[in-house]
Amino acid sequence: MRRILSNSEKIAFCEQMAMVLKSGISVTEGIMMMKEDVGDSSPTQKKLYEELYERMEETGMFYEALEESEAFPDYMVHMIRIGEQTGHMDEVMAGLAAYYEREEGMKQDIKNALSYPLLMLGMMGVIVLVMMVKVLPVFAQVYEQLGGQMSGMAAVLLRVGMGIRSHYGLVIAITLLIVGGIFWLAMAKKGRKLLQKTVLRFLFARKIAEKIGVARFASGMSMALGSGMNYEDAFHLVEALMKGSRSMADKMKRCKEKMEEGESLSRAASEAGILKGLDARILFVAERTGETDQALAQIASRADEEVSVRIQNIVSVLEPTLVAVLSVLVGAVLLSVMVPLMGVLSSIA
């Protein structure tokens, strides 16, 4: 299975394709041009463009070529399918480039916020390990010679250190398993899905996922309806965007059923739980003025902005919280060492 393109690669691909389409060049010719630009500097990308070009020559369907390459995420493939079938390919490619730029920016914000606390966590782990395995046993021997005994956290850390020393092989094996598990969660498709399900159990993650679903629903419906599609065909196209979210897919199903019963899109989406508050009212007014597609585009933009703000707020709170927690842990460990030391000195005195 081919590696999914990184965000920077997806951004470059979408930006180049958007420029190609806006200049009136076909997708097939654009892919050939992009392959020639890459040349021999990136054999992997060159091979990918060659496969896309061959598939386009056979079928002429861009989204099918992307899907079969397995190098592009499902969301990107489904959005391009909508753009290809609605005649808005240039807008879709430009929108995807902006979408992945925002996603990359959010990832960088999260990485920057977590790097320092994680570095502190790693250093603290090494310090605690050295103290448990090397330093505390020395204090324990001194205590025994003076007829005393360690207590409290120091005693607990001492026992853990002795366990590590006597079963270091098992500790190394467990550590390797943990590292392997983290790597699997980060890299494997099934691992990422499991991690996503775990993260979605937290309230803040569920709210962000709901907003992302609203943005995808509104963006897809906007392009479909703006191209002249009826609601049935629009729902059929947009349903593919919701495959990764069972909750949103169920809401879309209820919305579709409500519309088949004669409800308007705004009312059906509101009753199904897709749109709430101001978003539902904006769409309600737009339906009466004939600007449904523009209102949906506005709702998608608002949802994207809200996702960005929510993530930035979480990151801004997460960094000082982690630093505070780590500071308390470091202080507790230091006290566990200093208290026995003071006890030893007082015994000597």
Side-chain angles (χ1 to χ4, degrees):
M1 182 179 290
R2 178 179 271 124
R3 174 183 67 87
I4 296 289
L5 296 181
S6 65
N7 278 340
S8 59
E9 291 170 333
K10 285 180 279 191
I11 292 167
F13 179 83
C14 292
E15 287 178 341
Q16 290 174 356
M17 190 55 65
M19 288 188 289
V20 164
L21 294 170
K22 286 178 180 178
S23 64
I25 301 173
S26 68
V27 172
T28 306
E29 291 174 344
I31 292 173
M32 177 56 69
M33 291 169 59
M34 291 163 67
K35 188 191 88 169
E36 292 173 354
D37 287 341
V38 170
D40 297 327
S41 61
S42 177
T44 305
Q45 276 192 308
K46 184 177 180 181
K47 185 178 180 181
L48 173 61
Y49 291 147
E50 286 175 352
E51 292 177 6
L52 292 177
Y53 180 80
E54 291 172 4
R55 185 62 184 170
M56 287 294 297
E57 286 284 289
E58 292 175 5
T59 65
M61 300 300 292
F62 189 30
Y63 82 90
E64 286 185 1
L66 298 180
E67 189 173 30
E68 290 192 8
S69 72
E70 298 183 343
F72 300 87
D74 292 339
Y75 175 67
M76 185 173 175
V77 172
H78 293 316
M79 285 298 293
I80 288 173
R81 181 187 179 190
I82 292 174
E84 200 166 15
Q85 295 186 14
T86 60
H88 292 177
M89 272 291 294
D90 55 340
E91 296 176 11
V92 169
M93 297 308 298
L96 284 170
Y99 171 80
Y100 287 114
E101 282 180 357
R102 290 195 300 271
E103 187 176 88
E104 182 63 20
M106 286 187 286
K107 283 185 177 181
Q108 290 300 322
D109 288 342
I110 293 172
K111 286 180 181 179
N112 293 336
L114 294 179
S115 57
Y116 177 65
L118 289 177
L119 179 62
M120 285 185 61
L121 182 63
M123 292 177 63
M124 189 192 73
V126 172
I127 293 170
V128 171
L129 183 62
V130 171
M131 284 194 300
M132 288 190 301
V133 176
K134 296 293 185 180
V135 178
L136 290 180
V138 175
F139 284 106
Q141 292 176 3
V142 173
Y143 255 85
E144 289 178 2
Q145 293 173 0
L146 297 173
Q149 189 177 8
M150 281 190 174
S151 61
M153 183 180 291
V156 174
L157 293 176
L158 176 63
R159 287 194 291 270
V160 172
M162 294 175 64
I164 292 174
R165 293 179 67 178
S166 59
H167 301 91
Y168 68 91
L170 179 61
V171 172
I172 292 174
I174 293 173
T175 303
L176 291 176
L177 283 174
I178 293 173
V179 172
I182 294 172
F183 183 80
W184 179 74
L185 287 172
M187 303 301 294
K189 189 173 183 180
K190 289 183 178 179
R192 289 196 297 269
K193 286 184 177 179
L194 178 61
L195 182 62
Q196 183 180 16
K197 288 181 180 179
T198 304
V199 171
L200 287 176
R201 293 179 181 178
F202 296 97
L203 180 60
F204 70 86
R206 287 202 301 270
K207 289 183 177 180
I208 290 175
E210 287 175 4
K211 280 298 175 181
I212 291 174
V214 170
R216 291 184 174 184
F217 167 81
S219 179
M221 289 294 291
S222 173
M223 284 187 288
L225 296 175
S227 67
M229 278 190 174
N230 58 38
Y231 284 112
E232 183 178 356
D233 292 337
F235 267 97
H236 178 70
L237 283 177
V238 177
E239 279 174 351
L241 295 175
M242 306 303 168
K243 287 183 178 179
S245 173
R246 185 173 181 179
S247 173
M248 198 66 186
D250 291 341
K251 289 179 181 179
M252 274 201 67
K253 184 178 179 181
R254 291 198 298 271
C255 181
K256 188 176 180 180
E257 290 172 353
K258 293 286 184 182
M259 292 194 69
E260 289 173 352
E261 294 172 1
E263 298 281 7
S264 64
L265 176 60
S266 59
R267 189 172 181 83
S270 178
E271 291 179 356
I274 298 175
L275 300 181
K276 301 175 183 177
L278 181 60
D279 290 340
R281 290 195 292 273
I282 288 174
L283 186 58
F284 177 81
V285 173
E287 283 180 316
R288 277 141 187 80
T289 60
E291 298 178 346
T292 303
D293 55 332
Q294 293 95 324
L296 286 167
Q298 181 183 351
I299 291 169
S301 178
R302 279 166 44 83
D304 277 335
E305 290 177 2
E306 188 168 340
V307 168
S308 298
V309 170
R310 283 180 181 270
I311 291 177
Q312 288 172 2
N313 289 340
I314 291 170
V315 169
S316 64
V317 172
L318 186 61
E319 181 175 3
T321 301
L322 285 175
V323 171
V325 171
L326 292 178
S327 299
V328 171
L329 291 176
V330 170
V333 172
L334 289 175
L335 285 175
S336 71
V337 175
M338 294 301 296
V339 170
L341 178 61
M342 296 300 294
V344 171
L345 292 176
S346 61
S347 299
I348 294 174

